[in-house]
Amino acid sequence: MEYSQLVHLYENLDSTSKRLEKTYFLAEALKQADKESLPMLVLLVQGRVFPGWDESKIGIASQLMVKAISAASGTSPSAVEAEWKNSGDLGIAAERLLNKKRQRALLSSELTVAKVFDNIRSLAGIEGKGSVERKLQLIAELLSSASALEARYITKTVLEQLRVGVSSGTLRDALVWAFFPKIIGILHRCPHCSSLVPNTKSCVACRAAMAGKFSEAKEPKAIEVNSLNEADYNRISSRDILMPGDEALARGIYNHFLDSVQQAYDMSNDFAVVAEKLAASGPAGLKDTRLSVGAPIKVMLGPKVDTVGEAFKVTGRPAAVEFKYDGFRMQIHKDKGMFRVFTRRLENVTAQFPEVEGYVNKHVRGTSFILDSEAVGYDPKTLRYKPFQEISQRIKRKYDIKKLAEELPVELNVFDIMYYNRKNMISEPFKKRRELLEGIITPEKRQLVLAQQEVTSDEGEAEAFFKKSLAHGNEGIMFKNLNAPYKPGARVGYMVKYKSAMETLDLVIVGAEWGEGKRARWLSSFTLACRSGRGFLEIGRVGTGIKEKEEQGVSFEQLTKMLKPLVTSEKGRYVTVNPQVVVEVKFEEIQASPTYSSGFALRFPRLLQLRDDRSASDTTELSYIKKLYLSQRHRAGKKSDS
């Protein structure tokens, strides 16, 4: 596959904000890709060359990219920096400078997706003497063979800044459109160009007006389907067109197909693997997808609720009620001689927690398994539990690991199991998974224990358990549906969390402003954003709660060091940064505000701590902020009535 074809896809994806159009463009590209290029294409449209669970980083700084653009374009590094400052985007700067170059190198050839992918992926493994020169050579080789437009996207991919609006949901839908039978009612035949396209006002393929209705759809070669069982893709071809009896059935069949792709992704945590299976064996091939010990999966998440009654309404009665610990998630993988520990962000922290392997070997029976747990820090002298912020430094530590493990030890609280002795457990009900844990774990306090749990239908008992959890220094309690499967990466109502009254938000930093006076060398005012669909919306700025000395807590210098490599543009004193650094923020009130893109602003925000265990995709959703805003207005109304 030529790289120019992928760039054409990037341009199409970047030209629209409409999800249906993005899905169509992506599905068409997936269908046309050869089998070798397909998994690369799936990763590259996500701006990656490694799957999400792989902690490998390309690791190219902007200044090295400036040198590569300089070498490829024949301009000086200072000229590249001037163009970068003018455009605010190094990718656009590369495009403009390469566009001024009269012709490509005489010996250059058309770039392929495989060549671009292999060169960029190789960058992550280059180390040692002469590594900078070798990296520069690999990047410059690509840019010298690239068109100006290709250079823009190569630059963004190398810097890990490529964003064309492809969410996991869009990619999942596109795989269904590309490799499953086409469903009339989900797709419609354009009367002008005859393409099967989503039912939008104008055809995505030819832009002619469309006004088709399901009742008017005619597809002579379609297979009539009157029940979900008839849509069994073991009996139909991915090339078939299905004509369901009505729109509701069309949606039901489509959701069935989506679930098949989602389940395969939940197992592999890699859409490239899913795409390869679909291309090789069609939809039926997804049944062979298995959990792989050593490859982390996204953890199941629980939305917040405001009352015990609301918790029972979501999970049903009786429910398992467990302590919600003030620690950080640990996903533990063991298989014969292999042992790995991953965080909620799927970072490999095995080396940072050397004691964990000993705890697991001592207290958990089994040859191969994947466990879900919470690591809680404690004081080795008093044995009292410590809050998350005091032990979070262990996650990133690269030196003095043994010493820090002695000073800040952790206790593992195990609460779920996804795989055991060659058997996938995620489809088993939670009650059965808990029973398995109770049978294979020999608990020992301050090493490895089962999460404290009560099974109850009574709200009074749940409230008493909540108070007990708080008395132990925990955040609150979790409610879990006893019959629910383990659903990786989802907040699906199988479990919810009920916390103490003080509300905090996990927000991502998207911008900052250089300080003045004695803070002139630091970033000092930080723009915060919440999550909304595939993007982020600003909700305010924070400058309080941040210290001037690192030993006092999260400092201006620490945040500046973290954010400087993430800067994507600079205008005056204000910088825009890639949304990667997540912080926990408390506030006095949420206010409606036209100032910020979310429509809300935080009154008196204060930074509490860094959330190293959170990624940008874990930040608080706008829908939850709206819920908090409405609930505080409701409380205010009650006060004014009394």
Side-chain angles (χ1 to χ4, degrees):
M1 183 179 183
E2 301 294 335
Y3 187 63
S4 59
Q5 294 174 270
L6 176 55
V7 167
H8 180 66
L9 172 61
Y10 286 148
E11 289 286 279
N12 280 337
L13 292 169
D14 214 22
S15 69
T16 180
S17 60
K18 297 176 181 177
R19 179 170 170 174
L20 286 177
E21 292 188 0
K22 286 181 183 289
T23 305
Y24 175 79
F25 292 139
L26 185 52
E28 291 300 298
L30 293 171
K31 284 191 290 186
Q32 295 165 16
D34 58 86
K35 289 186 178 181
E36 179 193 9
S37 302
L38 180 62
M40 302 177 195
L41 169 66
V42 170
L43 287 170
L44 286 168
V45 294
Q46 299 174 79
R48 297 172 175 163
V49 291
F50 299 100
W53 58 265
D54 191 325
E55 63 179 356
S56 301
K57 297 292 182 185
I58 299 170
I60 298 298
S62 298
Q63 289 306 312
L64 183 59
M65 198 71 216
V66 166
K67 292 180 181 178
I69 296 169
S70 169
S73 63
T75 54
S76 66
S78 59
V80 177
E81 290 188 347
E83 187 62 61
W84 179 18
K85 189 171 184 178
N86 182 49
S87 65
D89 186 305
L90 196 49
I92 293 174
E95 179 183 9
R96 290 176 179 175
L97 291 168
L98 266 292
N99 203 35
K100 294 176 183 177
K101 194 177 179 183
R102 292 187 177 180
Q103 61 182 31
R104 299 185 190 183
L106 292 175
L107 298 178
S108 68
S109 56
E110 290 294 325
L111 282 176
T112 63
V113 167
K115 175 63 176 175
V116 173
F117 185 88
D118 290 342
N119 270 35
I120 296 177
R121 193 178 173 107
S122 297
L123 296 170
I126 299 176
E127 296 177 343
K129 187 177 180 180
S131 60
V132 173
E133 289 75 15
R134 295 201 302 276
K135 289 178 180 180
L136 185 60
Q137 184 180 6
L138 281 174
I139 301 168
E141 179 189 10
L142 293 179
L143 294 176
S144 297
S145 299
S147 69
L149 187 58
E150 289 170 348
R152 182 212 296 183
Y153 288 104
I154 289 170
T155 299
K156 286 179 173 290
T157 304
V158 169
L159 293 175
E160 299 177 273
Q161 294 175 1
L162 190 141
R163 306 285 187 274
V164 287
V166 175
S167 66
S168 59
T170 303
L171 191 45
R172 178 200 61 199
D173 291 8
L175 287 168
V176 170
W177 290 17
F179 296 109
F180 281 69
K182 310 303 176 280
I183 306 168
I184 301 302
I186 302 300
L187 300 176
H188 292 252
R189 182 76 67 182
C190 173
H192 304 280
C193 69
S194 297
S195 298
L196 273 173
V197 294
N199 190 24
T200 52
K201 290 183 179 179
S202 60
C203 173
V204 180
C206 71
R207 297 300 174 185
M210 286 180 61
K213 297 179 181 178
F214 181 85
S215 58
E216 300 170 350
K218 291 181 174 61
E219 199 67 40
K221 296 182 180 180
I223 299 172
E224 291 189 9
V225 178
N226 294 303
S227 72
L228 193 59
N229 291 335
E230 293 178 29
D232 182 357
Y233 43 70
N234 287 311
R235 294 184 291 158
I236 53 181
S237 165
S238 59
R239 295 184 297 274
D240 287 333
I241 299 173
L242 306 184
M243 175 63 81
D246 55 45
E247 285 186 86
L249 180 57
R251 178 57 58 180
I253 295 170
Y254 183 55
N255 288 338
H256 173 60
F257 290 170
L258 290 177
D259 287 344
S260 298
V261 174
Q262 186 65 49
Q263 287 171 16
Y265 175 67
D266 289 345
M267 296 278 198
S268 63
N269 203 12
D270 187 353
F271 276 118
V273 171
V274 178
E276 282 186 292
K277 287 182 177 292
L278 286 169
S281 307
L286 296 184
K287 292 184 177 180
D288 294 330
T289 312
R290 298 284 184 268
L291 286 176
S292 177
V293 183
I297 60 174
K298 292 182 178 180
V299 298
M300 185 164 72
L301 303 170
K304 297 175 184 176
V305 293
D306 296 326
T307 66
V308 166
E310 185 183 355
F312 276 122
K313 186 176 181 180
V314 174
T315 61
R317 301 175 192 247
V321 186
E322 296 179 352
F323 280 3
K324 186 185 186 314
Y325 299 94
D326 187 13
F328 55 91
R329 209 75 171 256
M330 268 195 181
Q331 189 179 124
I332 296 164
H333 291 238
K334 178 182 176 180
D335 188 14
K336 297 179 181 177
M338 186 275 294
F339 186 84
R340 299 283 186 274
V341 178
F342 299 96
T343 67
R344 170 175 165 157
R345 296 179 63 174
L346 311 185
E347 297 169 307
N348 187 334
V349 292
T350 312
Q352 286 91 318
F353 294 90
E355 72 271 35
V356 169
E357 183 172 5
Y359 294 168
V360 172
N361 289 337
K362 180 180 178 182
H363 299 293
V364 185
R365 292 188 299 278
T367 57
S368 63
F369 46 77
I370 302 174
L371 303 176
D372 203 353
S373 67
E374 189 91 354
V376 184
Y378 65 91
D379 187 308
K381 295 179 181 178
T382 66
L383 300 184
R384 289 181 178 274
Y385 290 123
K386 287 178 170 284
F388 167 80
Q389 58 263 35
E390 292 191 33
I391 59 164
S392 62
Q393 58 184 293
R394 287 197 62 182
I395 297 173
K396 299 292 185 183
R397 183 58 66 96
K398 303 295 183 185
Y399 55 90
D400 291 336
I401 289 174
K402 186 176 180 181
K403 180 184 176 184
L404 196 61
E406 293 171 353
E407 295 173 353
L408 296 171
V410 296
E411 174 188 77
L412 287 188
N413 292 265
V414 182
F415 52 79
D416 219 326
I417 183 166
M418 296 84 93
Y419 182 90
Y420 186 71
N421 285 359
R422 310 296 170 197
K423 184 179 179 182
N424 172 23
M425 298 297 298
I426 67 173
S427 297
E428 298 291 341
F430 175 63
K431 181 180 179 181
K432 186 173 181 179
R433 301 198 305 274
R434 174 73 185 200
E435 288 172 353
L436 174 60
L437 287 174
E438 291 172 352
I440 64 174
I441 287 178
T442 305
E444 181 177 340
K445 283 188 176 182
R446 300 303 181 267
Q447 287 196 10
L448 188 148
V449 297
L450 279 163
Q452 288 203 43
Q453 182 192 89
E454 285 188 10
V455 176
T456 183
S457 299
D458 186 82
E459 293 186 18
E461 290 179 1
E463 286 283 7
F465 193 71
F466 172 69
K467 292 176 182 177
K468 179 181 177 182
S469 181
L470 295 183
H472 279 72
N474 299 317
E475 292 186 319
I477 52 178
M478 303 295 299
F479 287 75
K480 299 183 179 182
N481 183 315
L482 291 170
N483 298 309
Y486 190 98
K487 194 69 174 174
R491 300 180 190 269
V492 290
Y494 294 151
M495 68 177 188
V496 295
K497 53 190 171 188
Y498 175 52
K499 298 173 67 174
S500 54
M502 192 195 82
E503 190 61 58
T504 63
L505 302 175
D506 291 331
L507 301 171
V508 67
I509 297 174
V510 295
E513 193 170 275
W514 288 103
E516 296 178 313
K518 66 178 182 179
R519 294 183 181 175
R521 59 193 176 92
W522 298 329
L523 294 169
S524 62
S525 178
F526 303 91
T527 304
L528 305 172
C530 60
R531 187 158 52 92
S532 177
R534 299 184 296 275
F536 300 93
L537 297 176
E538 295 176 357
I539 193 170
R541 290 191 178 192
V542 66
T544 56
I546 307 165
K547 311 301 181 183
E548 294 194 354
K549 296 181 180 179
E550 289 201 40
E551 60 268 22
Q552 296 175 332
V554 180
S555 67
F556 290 106
E557 185 171 3
Q558 180 184 8
L559 287 172
T560 301
K561 287 178 180 177
M562 295 176 73
L563 293 170
K564 278 183 73 175
L566 304 178
V567 172
T568 58
S569 65
E570 192 164 350
K571 189 173 183 180
R573 289 170 45 222
Y574 189 80
V575 299
T576 302
V577 300
N578 268 332
Q580 292 187 25
V581 177
V582 179
V583 293
E584 184 178 0
V585 177
K586 72 174 182 178
F587 55 93
E588 185 174 294
E589 185 182 13
I590 298 173
Q591 300 174 323
S593 171
T595 304
Y596 298 106
S597 53
S598 66
F600 297 98
L602 301 180
R603 186 166 182 255
F604 301 136
R606 184 179 184 84
L607 191 147
L608 291 180
Q609 60 180 324
L610 285 169
R611 292 307 310 228
D612 293 323
D613 61 328
R614 301 281 199 269
S615 66
S617 61
D618 295 321
T619 51
T620 303
E621 294 184 12
L622 177 61
S623 59
Y624 185 71
I625 290 169
K626 288 179 179 177
K627 180 181 176 183
L628 290 178
Y629 172 71
L630 292 173
S631 67
Q632 74 185 17
R633 288 186 66 190
H634 178 67
R635 289 195 299 272
K638 281 190 172 182
K639 287 179 182 177
S640 63
D641 291 341
S642 59

